[in-house]
Amino acid sequence: MKELPKVYEPQKVEKQIYDFWMKGGWFHAERDPEKKPFTIVIPPPNVTGQLHLGHAFDETLQDVLIRYKRMSGYNALWLPGVDHAGIATQIKVEEQLRKEGLTRFDLGRDKFLERVWEWKQQYGDRIVEQLKTLGSSCDWERQRFTMDDVCAKAVRETFCNLYEKGLIYKGRRIINWCPHCTTALSDAEVEYQEKQGAFWHIRYPLADGSGAVEVATTRPETLLGDAAVAVNPEDERYRHLIGKKLILPLVGREIPIVGDEHADMEFGTGCVKITPCHDPNDFEVGLRHNLPQYLMLDGEGRITGGYKWDGMDRYEARKAIVAELEEQGYLLSIEPCMHNVGTCYRCHNDVEPLASDQWFVKMEPLAKEAIRVVEEGEVKFVPERFSKTYLNWMYNVRDWCISRQLWWGHQIPVWYCDDCGEMTVSREDATECAHCHSKRIHRDPDVLDTWFSSALWPFSTLGWPEETEDLKYFYPTDVLVTGYDIIFFWVARMIFSGCEQMKKPPFHTVLIHGLIRDPHGKKMSKSAGNGVDPIEVINTYGADALRFNIITGNSPGNDMRYFPERCEAMRNFANKLWNASRFVMMYLTIDRNELPGTLEQEDKWIISRFNTVAGEVNENFERYELGIAAQKIYDFIWDDLCDWYIELTKARLTGEDEDRSRQTQQVLLWVLTETLKLLHPFMPFITEEIFQALPHEGEALMVQDYPVYRSELNFPEDCAAAERVMEVIKAVRSRRADMNVPPSRKAHLYIVSEHAADYENGRASLLRLCSASDVSVLTALPESTEGMVSLVTDDARCFLPLSELVDLDKERERIRKELEKNRGFLQNQERKLSNESFVSRAPENVVQAERDRAEKLRALIANLEESLRALG
């Protein structure tokens, strides 16, 4: 039997334990027809990433579930991997190039991609190693990357499948464009922020000189792209102007007034400027009225189109254009306003709506099945309220823009013919035009949205589009664990992709967690200065302390606040378990872990308590109440096992009766070992380390059977008897503490109860833990209880001779002094309350507070007088 060091030092233990698990191969799952699979795919962290508390939160929840299922007899697979993170990774490498005085265009596409792959080789496994530090029990033999050959083949197959069904198309649409990242964004990648802005009221003169109309806009620079002004055909103010021409201020071109229901008669002036290339609603109005399209911004947010402001940044141009509008008499007024502005989720710069040729996924046909599987319960959200969030988005989903103007990512598998102009869409790299067989073809330079490949993650990682045996066995997966912030980015897209490609949803449960916030409820970030590096926390307190802090603070779907001091508290909990285990091992002389044939009252109590907790914890797991489960285990270890059972059995353990000592050892070893199993999914390192030091069967704790409720381990009568004894111990200790009686001062304890046998069985514990000189168990009250302290529990009345607890003369003197002091306080209170001036002028709440204080003093004086009488 290995000896445990005096102090638990996680920094010395955790890497050794993880290497032990890896060497044992216990994270790896192979197909086994005799076992039911349980599969989780990791939300792949970005290849650029470093572990932050959000990762630690997400990965801890998954690891707890996968360890629990593994120990519960499932063939548990936790499939890991990392995401190529198109924009984020390209930005990182471009920053590196800038330091060398280069751009990606200096290198060219092929050389630039070589640099990105080099960067990936150097930094790509950083977050994987950090996940191992956390204790993640992933099947690292199956690690995937969203741009490896297997995933790349799945991406090509999906694109071609959807294109052949008419569900992917190329079209000119208004898309979200980030001028900083210089790429298109999907709707889900746009975050809206309320910002201070203004309505600029501008005069648009009629071409015939008969007057003007007034238009209000929050983006005056876009007037350069105006193709018309719209009025509602029902608006009597402007109906007569429909068909007339206006002169566009500053530009001078003629634009028509069109009648369109898009113009809201109740909003603003009722006249709406129509800029088809820079607003999604205006784009549709332009199509209806066959308006020309004037693109007035380039990809970097600069003015373009042959204007005097060409090359100026959009916001600098805004100032210049507004100044000139004012100078030429077109600016009528400026009205400050707050409005929602779309920003890039990656760089947080303002997004521009731009008309552009892009690739889209047609969402309406795909959304139908993705809606059905949630509405009919094939996919459940935990908590259920997030299904409404999901469904609301799916019912209102717009076509998904999937092309990105980047070089790093899955390049779109489309080739254009330089001779006939047709497109070739191919699963393999095309060498000639599929239509005219010309060799003069060039590939679409854009790449696919990162989420396109992530959407295939549950089945691409298992070998699809090949019909692999792993795919047949492990798909559909079981639970997806993720934050509510990527329901639209990722969860929805996985569901409709699984339904479309596999004809089955990718998982049956989506376990949603919230965000980790700082102690004040603020979002954590480096820029805000409130970020926490989980690796530093692990180095200070150990991975188990961080994991248990996260888990016990977690409630599904809700944000949690991270309190650093709770990590210290959880380290203290780990130390409590460590010290209890060392205490048990000090007295162990047995080498087999089995319960004895004979059990005493307190043995049956701890076994019953453990059995009850094990049953409840399993129920909590099935309901994904991981935080509640962890708290129940914490309470059992701290209160029941350490504070009660070990204390109750110390006398037996260290006594001269070898049989009773051995029996106690057997119960302690059994309960400790089963408790380690119960706690293991939450705190895997310390539990494995202690388990390896105890007499045990099997190679590792992580592959032991998880404890379940067993009816034969339920002893309700003995449990109730033990708890009666414990209630008396608690009552006596509490009263002695109130009276400041030191443990060294012994007193005779009298217990009156109809359950006399229970207290007789607990005599040894009562003597020791109540600091009793003797224990007398009676079935009726003694003839006189004068001069005794009385205590009451649910099942007993207890008495302690006061003279044995305190020096009566000194106690009388102490009470008299307390009485004198508090009577003086009461006199002052009554004097204040009899002052009519105070009572009439002071606020009612102040007067009432003084009355309450006086009442408390009267009650205290009455108690002191009663105590003095009791002393005789």
Side-chain angles (χ1 to χ4, degrees), residues 172 221-226 248 250-253 277-278 293-312 317 321 354:
R172 188 169 180 81
E221 69 280 4
T222 62
L223 68 77
L224 302 178
D226 285 0
L248 186 60
L250 307 187
V251 179
R253 70 169 169 257
C277 281
H278 298 280
Q293 295 184 358
Y294 303 107
L295 190 71
M296 47 71 59
L297 281 177
D298 68 11
E300 295 182 349
R302 294 189 298 245
I303 302 297
T304 188
Y307 306 105
K308 63 189 288 186
W309 304 277
D310 277 13
M312 288 180 72
I321 288 170
L354 285 184

Side-chain angles (χ1 to χ4, degrees), residues 198-243:
F199 278 113
W200 281 270
H201 289 256
I202 304 169
R203 186 174 64 88
Y204 281 50
L206 285 157
D208 61 10
S210 62
V213 298
E214 182 181 337
V215 170
T217 179
T218 58
R219 299 158 69 211
E221 69 280 4
T222 62
L223 68 77
L224 302 178
D226 285 0
V229 167
V231 297
N232 194 297
E234 302 301 318
D235 194 332
E236 293 180 2
R237 293 171 298 174
Y238 306 115
R239 189 188 301 167
H240 66 285
L241 296 177
I242 295 173

Side-chain angles (χ1 to χ4, degrees), residues 43-176:
N46 287 354
V47 70
T48 58
Q50 291 190 68
L51 193 72
H52 56 63
L53 273 182
H55 292 126
F57 190 10
D58 201 66
E59 266 53 81
T60 295
L61 292 172
Q62 292 171 74
D63 194 49
V64 168
L65 280 175
I66 211 77
R67 286 179 183 271
Y68 166 70
K69 288 294 186 177
R70 189 183 288 125
M71 294 176 75
S72 298
Y74 287 82
N75 192 8
L77 168 62
W78 186 12
L79 206 154
V82 290
D83 193 286
H84 66 278
I87 295 176
T89 307
Q90 181 155 321
I91 287 172
K92 287 276 187 188
V93 178
E94 289 198 76
E95 285 172 356
Q96 205 174 57
L97 288 176
R98 272 197 292 274
K99 292 174 184 174
E100 301 170 25
L102 298 171
T103 70
R104 59 178 163 132
F105 301 103
D106 294 326
L107 270 66
R109 187 173 192 131
D110 291 343
K111 290 291 182 185
F112 176 75
L113 291 178
E114 285 178 19
R115 285 290 293 266
V116 183
W117 279 106
E118 287 171 14
W119 189 93
K120 190 264 177 187
Q121 295 305 321
Q122 188 173 354
Y123 297 106
D125 286 335
R126 176 176 53 190
I127 196 162
V128 168
E129 294 308 310
Q130 290 174 331
L131 289 174
K132 292 177 181 178
T133 305
L134 187 64
S136 304
S137 59
C138 299
D139 187 346
W140 298 111
E141 295 178 39
R142 294 177 178 271
Q143 184 178 336
R144 299 248 67 97
F145 178 51
T146 51
M147 281 189 62
D148 64 23
D149 290 342
V150 173
C151 292
K153 187 172 184 181
V155 167
R156 283 258 189 127
E157 181 66 26
T158 301
F159 186 95
C160 293
N161 274 347
L162 295 177
Y163 178 79
E164 288 159 5
K165 293 176 182 177
L167 295 175
I168 280 183
Y169 65 91
K170 188 173 188 180
R172 188 169 180 81
R173 295 285 186 277
I174 291 287
I175 49 93
N176 306 295

